[in-house]
Every structure is written in C-alpha cells, then in structure tokens.
Amino acid sequence: MASTPLVMGVVNVTPDSFSDGGRYLDAERAIAHGRRLLADGADILDVGGESTRPGATRPLLEEELDRVVPVIEALAADGATVSVDTMRAEVAAAALGAGARIVNDVSGGLADPGILQVAAESGATYVAMHWRAHSDRMQDFTTYDGPVAAVVADELGARVDAILAAGVARDRIVLDPGLGFAKTGDQNWELLGRIGLVRDLGFPLLVGASRKRFLGDLLATGGTPRPVDEREFAHVAIVAALALDGIWGVRVHDVRATRDVLTALDRIEREK
C-alpha cells in the first residue's frame, strides 16, 4: 500500500438521500454530524444538498444553497477540509466562498459547464465523476458499447480534455468511476474488478461504494436486498481492496469502520 487513501465522510443535507435522507437536513444536525465524522477520522467532509439516488428530483438552486452554505461555513471555520458535492456552478462558487476547498461534481461538468470555470478560477481541487444523465433517468443509460471499465475510462478521458481546456490545472483533477450511476449491479462489480483501466488515465481516483444498492443485492436474503445500514462489512472489504490497489480516496458514510480497516492495513504493510 503506497499510501493510505484519504477518507471522505458524507454529510448529506438532504431530505431524500438513499442512506440517511432527512436525518441531517437541519443545519445544526449536519454540522454536528460532520464534527463526529472528523472525530472518527475523516480527512475530508463532503457536504451535499442534492440527492443523486436513482429517481431523485433536483432541488431548486436556492434550496441547495440554503442547505449547504451554512454547514460549510461552520465546518470550514473548525479547520475541516470541506468538499462541496454539487453539479451547479453557482453552488460551487458560493461553497468555495464559504470555505470549501474541493468541488465534487458527479456530472464531471456535463450538467453545468460553468462549474469548470469556477473550479479553474478558484484553484480548487475538482473531482469529476463518470456520469451520463440526471438521477431521474440515469438508469436508462446502462448500455455500454464494450467492457464497462474501458468505456468509462474513455468517457472520463473526454471529460478530462474539457476540464483541462477550461483551465483546471492537471494536478487539481481527481476522477471518480461513478459506481451506481448509469450502471447495473453487475456493471459496478466489473468496473471495480478492472478499475486499473480508469487509473491508467493518470489521475488520482476517488471511489464511492458505501451503502450502495449493488452491495445490498450481493447480500440479499430470499431476494430481499440487505438493508442500507447493514452493508458495511462488504463495503470495508472493497475499501481494503482499493487501498491495496493504490486508490487516492474513498467516499464513505461509516468513517470509523473505514478508518479502522485502513489503520490495520497500514500496520501490516509497515511490517513487510
């Protein structure tokens, strides 16, 4: 393990996220949750005001701003490294102004090309995820003309060209293969198994598998998927595999479990 992956803790300030929708919609609750994740070992807090679960509808711009800006201001004031999970240029700009240092754009600039200019002008780290359509119709786009990992790499490569052309520095770009976004469960597993094809693009990779449906399907009993909050053991197995594969970062809900796995792996590696 060349280096321990960064742990990005999820702070969903939404009423409808698949894992904890509504639990942290109140700003004070979201701030307290972020502080707990820091205490558990998060390196980055990813604050988002729009659910991207399959079938989700988009909030109004004003709603998204009202959800994330106060939370980012408070957590950044604490000294946390904060990422804003948004597809909107206006939200990215406001979040960076509030103290965020990373823009985590699940659309890779496709939903709102203006976000690339915001990232370029700010000098922020920009995370571009593989994306094909908004959440309300993304599962209509699961047909791939070739091996999934190869196609994802090609499509992300095209986004890299656009991101660089917008002026984002190469050393500020992080890529995300987009598990669960316009992908079936089998395609997610294929992508994880061949993630080296995406890494070969030459950029750090962030992977978010935490609590996702394909884990619930893997662990299903009698055809019923394992509940969202009972998928962590399978998730940390993925984290361990990715860590050994040299991943840059993992986006997770249970920071403590992830940190425990990474700490144990690091200790073993130091004895080799």
Side-chain angles (χ1 to χ4, degrees):
M1 193 164 68
S3 61
T4 301
L6 296 174
V7 177
M8 177 184 280
V10 177
V11 182
N12 286 324
V13 194
T14 59
D16 55 348
S17 291
F18 79 94
S19 63
D20 53 14
R23 194 176 301 174
Y24 309 114
L25 183 58
D26 175 78
E28 290 305 313
R29 282 186 163 186
I31 293 163
H33 180 56
R35 288 170 176 161
R36 283 193 297 272
L37 295 181
L38 288 174
D40 285 343
D43 300 297
I44 303 165
L45 297 177
D46 193 40
V47 179
E50 175 179 352
S51 172
T52 51
R53 64 173 175 79
T57 56
R58 306 196 72 189
L60 297 173
L61 170 62
E62 294 75 14
E63 289 178 315
E64 189 178 352
L65 286 167
D66 288 345
R67 290 172 184 175
V68 302
V69 170
V71 177
I72 291 170
E73 284 179 338
L75 294 173
D78 287 346
T81 299
V82 180
S83 168
V84 60
D85 178 0
T86 187
M87 293 181 273
R88 287 175 164 136
E90 296 95 333
V91 176
L96 293 169
R101 291 152 59 183
I102 301 168
V103 175
N104 183 16
D105 177 8
V106 300
S107 81
L110 289 169
D112 182 355
I115 202 169
L116 301 182
Q117 195 65 36
V118 171
E121 292 176 357
S122 68
T125 295
Y126 180 73
V127 181
M129 195 190 78
H130 177 260
W131 185 88
R132 286 181 158 187
H134 283 291
S135 298
D136 58 350
R137 58 193 183 94
M138 66 181 177
Q139 294 310 108
D140 296 333
F141 294 86
T142 59
T143 299
Y144 288 77
D145 185 18
V148 172
V151 176
V152 167
D154 286 345
E155 293 182 2
L156 274 176
R159 296 315 305 150
V160 167
D161 291 342
I163 294 163
L164 290 171
V168 179
R170 176 173 287 272
D171 64 358
R172 292 292 184 178
I173 299 173
V174 175
L175 301 180
D176 181 338
L179 295 176
F181 287 78
K183 297 170 188 73
T184 66
D186 287 344
Q187 288 168 341
N188 289 325
W189 289 114
E190 180 185 341
L191 182 52
L192 281 169
R194 304 186 66 190
I195 202 165
L197 292 175
V198 183
R199 190 178 57 244
D200 287 347
L201 291 171
F203 294 89
L205 294 188
L206 173 71
V207 176
S210 181
R211 298 185 180 178
K212 290 192 172 176
R213 174 64 184 256
F214 74 103
L215 297 179
D217 290 343
L218 176 74
L219 305 171
T221 302
T224 301
R226 180 78 62 82
V228 167
D229 58 356
E230 297 179 17
R231 302 171 183 174
E232 194 57 34
F233 291 128
H235 172 245
V236 295
I238 292 173
V239 168
L242 291 171
L244 293 171
D245 206 25
I247 206 77
W248 175 83
V250 287
R251 184 178 183 273
V252 309
H253 296 86
D254 190 334
V255 167
R256 187 175 185 182
T258 299
R259 179 58 67 195
D260 286 352
V261 167
L262 294 177
T263 299
L265 280 175
D266 181 65
R267 186 67 180 87
I268 292 169
E269 290 296 306
R270 287 191 281 118
E271 293 299 329
K272 291 183 177 179

